[in-house]
Amino acid sequence: MLIDVVIPAAGIGKRMGATIPKQYLMLDDATIIEHTINKFTTLPFVNNIVVVLDKDDAFFSKLKFNIKKIVIAQGGKERADSVLNGLAITTTEFVLVHDAARPLVNKEDIIKLVQEASTDDGGILAVKVADTLKEGGANREIVATRPRDNLYRALTPQYFKRQLLINAYQEANKKGLILTDDASAMELSGFSPKLVLGSSLNIKITEPDDLILARMIIKAQGLN
Ligand code: CTP
Ligand code: MG
């Protein structure tokens, strides 16, 4: 079975606060987005890689990829809009959606997700919450402690049947909802995506400290 991959990469990286979008910052010997894309290029079941870029993106075209499978889609206002634009030019029954900002995903986890979630419900990579969770009040005082036993952090890739995910996003759009991951759309449509446990090293590069962590992880893994 061949699978298209949608990589939303049209964000500006506001929380990173760099002068360029965070996906173009260097991580060891390559940009973040190159690391991310290269995690998928060598997987045998990957068909096209649809990279979703801002319409004024001035960086991607300067990068070099020695593969032919990359297709470009135009980004939208929110992540969900970008993903939907990317999905429009996918053609396979199932699709993987993976944030450009997660360059450290490992291939074994992607394979596990596909093996365990090729159903109508689909699935996502996730990690169990380890910290005790506090709910804060208006003055940042603790108002409650939340049980964490059944709580997970949603990572990407997220993996769904293409048409079901498109339908789910279109329904969410009609309701005017802004969703921060793909599973949320499926949940709203009544599906119960599977939580597939992945590595907690698959961090999303969001703030400057995450870059430090990512560089340390790459060094420790001896990948480069
Ligand atoms: N993304 C996108 N289109 C948008 C917003 C985000 O394709 N309109 C992408 C980002 O490029 C990123 C992924 O969605 O790869 C996850 O979003 P996030 O980590 O929030 O990135 P940014 O939106 O760029 O960061 P920030 O929220 O700090 O501005
Ligand atoms: Mg964002």
Side-chain angles (χ1 to χ4, degrees):
M1 180 174 65
L2 288 175
I3 299 167
D4 284 339
V5 183
V6 175
I7 301 196
I12 55 167
K14 189 161 182 260
R15 287 168 287 179
M16 181 60 70
T19 53
I20 59 173
K22 62 185 179 181
Q23 55 273 28
Y24 298 114
L25 296 174
M26 292 297 288
L27 201 54
D28 203 71
D29 61 346
T31 59
I32 289 175
I33 194 170
E34 287 171 288
H35 283 284
T36 306
I37 289 173
N38 287 332
K39 289 292 164 62
F40 291 89
T41 51
T42 51
L43 286 171
F45 54 79
V46 166
N47 187 46
N48 283 333
I49 298 174
V50 179
V51 184
V52 191
L53 301 175
D54 185 87
K55 66 173 173 27
D56 298 322
D57 186 287
F59 301 95
F60 191 82
S61 63
K62 296 193 173 71
L63 304 178
K64 293 263 182 295
F65 298 94
N66 51 0
I67 43 144
K68 294 175 191 158
K69 321 183 180 184
I70 294 180
V71 188
I72 307 297
Q74 190 170 310
K77 186 164 176 283
E78 305 290 341
R79 179 188 182 278
D81 305 312
S82 296
V83 171
L84 201 46
N85 288 352
L87 288 171
I89 55 170
T90 56
T91 57
T92 54
E93 183 186 11
F94 280 88
V95 293
L96 284 157
V97 181
H98 182 69
D99 288 335
R102 290 189 190 270
L104 300 179
V105 61
N106 71 64
K107 291 184 200 172
E108 291 70 28
D109 282 358
I110 303 171
I111 293 167
K112 190 172 156 198
L113 176 64
V114 167
Q115 280 172 347
E116 295 188 16
S118 291
T119 64
D120 281 1
D121 288 303
I124 71 171
L125 287 183
V127 173
K128 291 204 81 161
V129 167
D131 298 314
T132 299
L133 294 176
K134 302 294 186 188
E135 187 173 330
N139 298 311
R140 201 169 282 162
E141 80 286 13
I142 295 175
V143 294
T145 300
R146 299 284 173 208
R148 66 172 179 227
D149 293 356
N150 295 316
L151 292 182
Y152 297 80
R153 291 187 290 117
L155 315 178
T156 71
Q158 304 202 350
Y159 177 64
F160 298 104
K161 275 193 174 164
R162 170 185 187 272
Q163 196 56 54
L164 294 180
L165 183 58
I166 290 174
N167 295 349
Y169 263 127
Q170 284 171 345
E171 274 181 47
N173 275 349
K174 271 186 213 151
K175 293 179 189 147
L177 299 168
I178 295 177
L179 309 174
T180 54
D181 80 341
D182 314 295
S184 310
M186 295 294 287
E187 292 161 53
L188 284 164
S189 293
F191 292 95
S192 303
K194 187 165 185 183
L195 293 160
V196 176
L197 293 181
S199 168
S200 57
L201 300 182
N202 179 10
I203 60 171
K204 181 155 73 75
I205 313 274
T206 307
E207 294 176 352
D209 280 356
D210 297 322
L211 270 178
I212 298 174
L213 274 176
R215 288 184 178 127
M216 286 166 64
I217 292 167
I218 286 189
K219 207 171 190 182
Q221 288 173 332
L223 289 179
N224 288 283

